[in-house]
Structure formats: C-alpha cells, structure tokens
C-alpha cells in the first residue's frame, strides 16, 4: 500500500511515520493540502490521507480516480468537507469516528473556564506586571444550567464534566439516547434556560446555522457559547451582532465557518482579509483557538492507529463500520 498524507505537520509525521513502517505501508508526507496543484502527487498511491482542512471537491475526487487512487482515509471524525456523492463508485471513504471524545470535551471545558474567568486576558496582564483584576470577573458555574447540543460521544463526556462542576445539565438532540440520564428539551427551550451552551453535533444541512439571530433572541443575557464542533453551526455575523449588544457573557470558538486556509497555519505576518474573524478578535469576551480540541497525545496516537487499520481494511477488502457510505 502506498498512501499520500496531505497537509502534513511535524506532529502528524511523528505518529504516522513509525506506525506506517510497522504496517509495512509506504507513506509519503506532503506539507501542502490537497489542491489542483498537489493532487498529482498522489499518482501511484492506493489512498490519500486527509485532515479536516483537506477539502475533497468533485473535481479533485475525479482526478484522484483518474490517477488510480482507490480511497480517501480521513484522519478525523467529521466528513462534511468531502463530496460523498462525487465519491460514489469511484473512491471509498474511511474516517476515524472516535479517538478521544474526552480530549475534545476537556478542551471545551477548558475554553469555558478560560473565557468565563478571562484567563486569556489575565495571562497577558500578569506577564506585563499589570496586576489589576478589573474586567476579569466571571460567574460561578456551580448551580448554573448547562445546555449540551448533541449527546453523542463528546456531548456525553461534556455532560459528565459539567456535572462535576455542579451544574444542572439539559440537552437537545433529535435522536435522544434512552440510556442517558439527562433531561432532553427543544433547542428553543435549551436556549431559554441555559447559562452555558456547548455544541457537540455534526455539521449537516439541518444543523447549518442552527444558532442564528432567531435562536440567539431566546438566549439569556450573559450566556456563554462554546463551539468545538463545526464553525458553521453558528451564524458568525449574528453572533457578532449579539456580542455588540452585550448578549453573551463569553464566546469561545475552537472552530470557525471560514477556517479553511487560516487555521493550522502561521498567518501572523499576513494581512487578514476575513473581517468577521478580525471583528471577533476585538471582543474582550471572545476566545478563539485553531481547531485543536482533539490535540492530545492519546488522541493523535489513536487517530494514526485507526487510520492505518482503515488502510488495512481497504487492502484486505475487509468490512468496517469506519467506512462512510453516501
Ligand atoms: P457523535 O456522532 O458521537 O455524536 C453526535 C451527536 O449529534 C449524536 O448524538 C447525534 O444524534 C447528534 N445530532 C445529530 N443531528 C443533530 C441536530 N440536528 N441537533 C443536535 N444534535 C444532533 O459525534 P462526536 O464524536 O460526539 O462528535 C461531535 C462533533 O464534534 C463532530 O461532528 C465534529 O464536528 C466535532 N469534533 C471536533 C473536534 C475538534 O478538534 N474540535 C474533534 C472531533 C470532533
């Protein structure tokens, strides 16, 4: 098996290089993301390995098929960036559905604590020996209500953490889990009651902009919004308007609708043309991170192992639940 791993960062190579040798696979590591210019590098490969920022359009999929590539191995859970209908009959698509749900939930909790207690600002102040705490006041989470949207693997891990803080947890999921001891409510009721809203559902046609001006108007003043799922679950322009009106106590985003090409790259020396992202950065109660919720040692190891197991399934013609069928 020969696999072209696109969008390779040193931390990807650190896990994939030794493991691919163990599997006896020839893995080529390409720093650039897959594009019209770089797709050719997959010639002679059985599969390409893409991350969340590796968009697979119909055109690129057709080209991969012409080059004899048989599969896309996603080294992530979400697959909204792959045109699945274009893959039909041409390329098989595999993903890593779960690697460490706790890693993402812990990160969502870290974002909540940080944005609530303004740690991002405190850190900068004290490094400058500015020991003034004005403007850094948060709320006590104990006794407050948390609304979890999406009660799958990460949502459940988040519920456990929030309960550990002494919060009452309510949830919204159109596919409620009977095994889960949580009170399910409508999205509108969740918005009305929650002091903290944390998003843990996939991006689909139904969930695109699920939190927009219409939903935000039901939210309590001072609510905290945490998004570690996908940027387009929230309408960024509407969130900015609500921030301007002082609706949110804090907003912490690990994902952003227009993150492609920006996140995972050092753009500190560039002129940023995205005015919405630039505006978000100006709010003292907004914290943005670069889609790093998954980024723990354990999760990276699990991602590499499952990706190579998916490659093995492809090689052996073995059935796996990790294959995505359109
Ligand atoms: P999962 O499939 O285990 O759970 C998703 C849940 O969302 C399910 O319970 C499903 O019923 C629910 N859902 C589906 N449609 C919904 C809707 N319209 N409204 C509310 N809920 C809905 O997925 P997971 O492993 O818990 O991951 C959740 C999301 O987290 C992923 O889709 C991905 O976008 C994101 N994620 C982010 C990172 C990161 O690094 N920030 C890492 C991994 C996953």
């Amino acid at each position: 098996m020969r696999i072209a791993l696109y969008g390779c960062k040193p931390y990807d190579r650190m896990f994939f290089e030794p493991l691919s040798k163990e599997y006896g696979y020839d893995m080529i590591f390409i720093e650039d993301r897959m594009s019209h210019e770089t797709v050719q590098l997959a010639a002679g490969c059985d599969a390409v390995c893409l991350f969340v920022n590796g968009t697979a359009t119909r055109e690129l999929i057709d080209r991969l098929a012409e080059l004899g590539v048989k599969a896309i191995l996603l080294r992530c859970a979400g697959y909204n960036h792959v045109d699945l209908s274009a893959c039909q009959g041409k390329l098989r698509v595999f993903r890593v559905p779960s690697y460490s749900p706790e890693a993402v939930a812990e990160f969502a909790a870290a974002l909540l604590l940080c944005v609530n207690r303004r740690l991002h600002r405190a850190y900068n102040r004290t490094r400058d020996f500015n020991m003034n705490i004005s403007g850094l006041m948060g709320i006590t989470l104990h006794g407050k209500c948390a609304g979890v949207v999406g009660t799958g693997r990460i949502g459940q891990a988040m519920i456990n953490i929030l309960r550990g803080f002494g919060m009452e947890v309510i949830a919204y999921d159109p596919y409620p889990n009977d095994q889960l001891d949580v009170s399910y409510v409508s999205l509108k009721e969740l918005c009305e009651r929650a002091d903290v809203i944390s998003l843990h559902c996939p991006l689909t046609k139904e969930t695109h902009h699920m939190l927009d001006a219409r939903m935000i108007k039901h939210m309590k003043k001072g609510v905290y919004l945490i998004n570690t799922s996908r940027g387009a679950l929230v309408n960024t322009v509407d969130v900015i308007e609500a921030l301007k009106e002082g609706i949110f106590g804090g907003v912490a985003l690990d994902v952003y609708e227009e993150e492609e090409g920006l996140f995972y790259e050092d753009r500190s020396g560039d002129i940023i043309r995205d005015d919405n992202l630039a505006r978000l950065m100006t709010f003292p109660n907004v914290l943005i991170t670069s889609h790093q919720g998954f980024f723990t040692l354990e999760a990276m190891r699990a991602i590499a192992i499952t990706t190579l197991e998916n490659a093995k399934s492809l090689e052996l013609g073995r059935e796996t639940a990790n294959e995505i069928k359109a």
Side-chain angles (χ1 to χ4, degrees):
M1 289 277 283
R2 192 171 158 82
I3 303 165
L5 186 145
Y6 281 95
C8 182
K9 298 286 182 193
Y11 46 81
D12 292 310
R13 196 162 185 155
M14 191 174 123
F15 289 92
F16 276 97
E17 191 162 36
L19 203 64
S20 56
K21 283 193 183 127
E22 270 179 43
Y23 274 77
Y25 294 155
D26 180 13
M27 200 159 222
I28 54 171
F29 298 95
I30 303 163
E31 274 182 41
D32 289 322
R33 286 181 294 142
M34 190 173 71
S35 66
H36 300 296
E37 290 77 40
T38 61
V39 66
Q40 198 63 30
L41 297 170
C45 289
D46 301 283
V48 292
C49 180
L50 307 179
F51 191 47
V52 278
N53 58 353
T55 305
T57 59
R58 178 173 289 277
E59 223 176 324
L60 289 174
I61 288 161
D62 287 347
R63 188 70 195 114
L64 286 174
E66 282 166 22
L67 292 170
V69 174
K70 295 189 261 310
I72 296 176
L73 302 169
L74 294 173
R75 53 183 194 280
C76 56
Y79 48 89
N80 52 286
H81 54 300
V82 176
D83 186 337
L84 290 181
S85 61
C87 289
Q88 260 185 339
K90 290 185 178 153
L91 292 185
R92 295 171 69 187
V93 185
F94 300 82
R95 68 176 182 135
V96 184
S98 178
Y99 30 93
S100 175
E102 290 78 15
V104 184
E106 286 169 14
F107 192 78
L111 285 180
L112 169 60
L113 294 177
C114 186
V115 77
N116 172 29
R117 304 303 290 273
R118 311 290 193 245
L119 298 184
H120 54 303
R121 303 189 68 207
Y123 173 78
N124 285 323
R125 281 192 196 181
T126 54
R127 280 176 70 88
D128 225 10
F129 286 93
N130 173 0
M131 302 302 183
N132 184 349
I133 62 168
S134 296
L136 304 185
M137 190 164 64
I139 59 163
T140 302
L141 296 174
H142 189 273
K144 298 286 188 320
C145 177
V148 171
V149 179
T151 56
R153 284 168 283 236
I154 298 171
Q156 288 175 41
M158 187 62 173
I159 290 172
N160 290 337
I161 295 173
L162 294 168
R163 287 201 172 130
F165 291 160
M167 300 189 80
E168 178 206 356
V169 182
I170 56 175
Y172 167 69
D173 194 314
Y175 312 99
N177 179 347
D178 306 338
Q179 310 299 313
L180 209 61
D181 175 26
V182 69
S183 159
Y184 282 100
V185 297
S186 68
L187 185 59
K188 177 170 168 281
E189 185 178 341
L190 183 143
C191 289
E192 286 165 349
R193 287 176 52 193
D195 301 291
V196 169
I197 298 175
S198 193
L199 303 181
H200 301 289
C201 59
L203 177 63
T204 61
K205 257 194 241 131
E206 292 73 41
T207 61
H208 184 265
H209 285 185
M210 71 195 301
L211 293 189
D212 58 5
R214 280 183 321 148
M215 270 304 156
I216 293 171
K217 85 169 191 286
H218 297 297
M219 292 181 192
K220 282 185 183 176
K221 193 168 161 60
V223 63
Y224 285 80
L225 173 64
I226 314 297
N227 188 5
T228 54
S229 282
R230 285 292 178 270
L233 295 178
V234 302
N235 182 323
T236 309
V237 172
D238 292 353
V239 167
I240 290 172
E241 280 312 307
L243 276 160
K244 287 202 265 184
E245 284 164 28
I247 304 294
F248 291 108
V251 173
L253 309 173
D254 186 43
V255 286
Y256 172 62
E257 355 188 14
E258 302 298 333
E259 69 183 51
E260 202 187 322
L262 266 175
F263 282 24
Y264 300 118
E265 306 303 332
D266 179 0
R267 304 287 304 273
S268 55
D270 297 347
I271 305 286
I272 300 301
R273 300 179 67 91
D274 185 324
D275 291 349
N276 290 332
L277 185 60
R279 184 66 178 100
L280 280 172
M281 298 291 189
T282 66
F283 295 100
N285 57 343
V286 171
L287 175 59
I288 294 182
T289 51
S290 185
H291 207 147
Q292 64 171 91
F294 69 97
F295 200 39
T296 66
L297 183 78
E298 293 78 3
M300 287 298 290
R301 193 176 287 140
I303 288 170
I305 292 171
T306 307
T307 304
L308 288 166
E309 277 302 309
N310 288 343
K312 189 134 217 109
S313 298
L314 173 72
E315 183 189 10
L316 303 177
R318 190 173 69 182
E319 283 293 313
T320 165
N322 296 345
E323 181 166 2
I324 309 164
K325 312 252 172 148

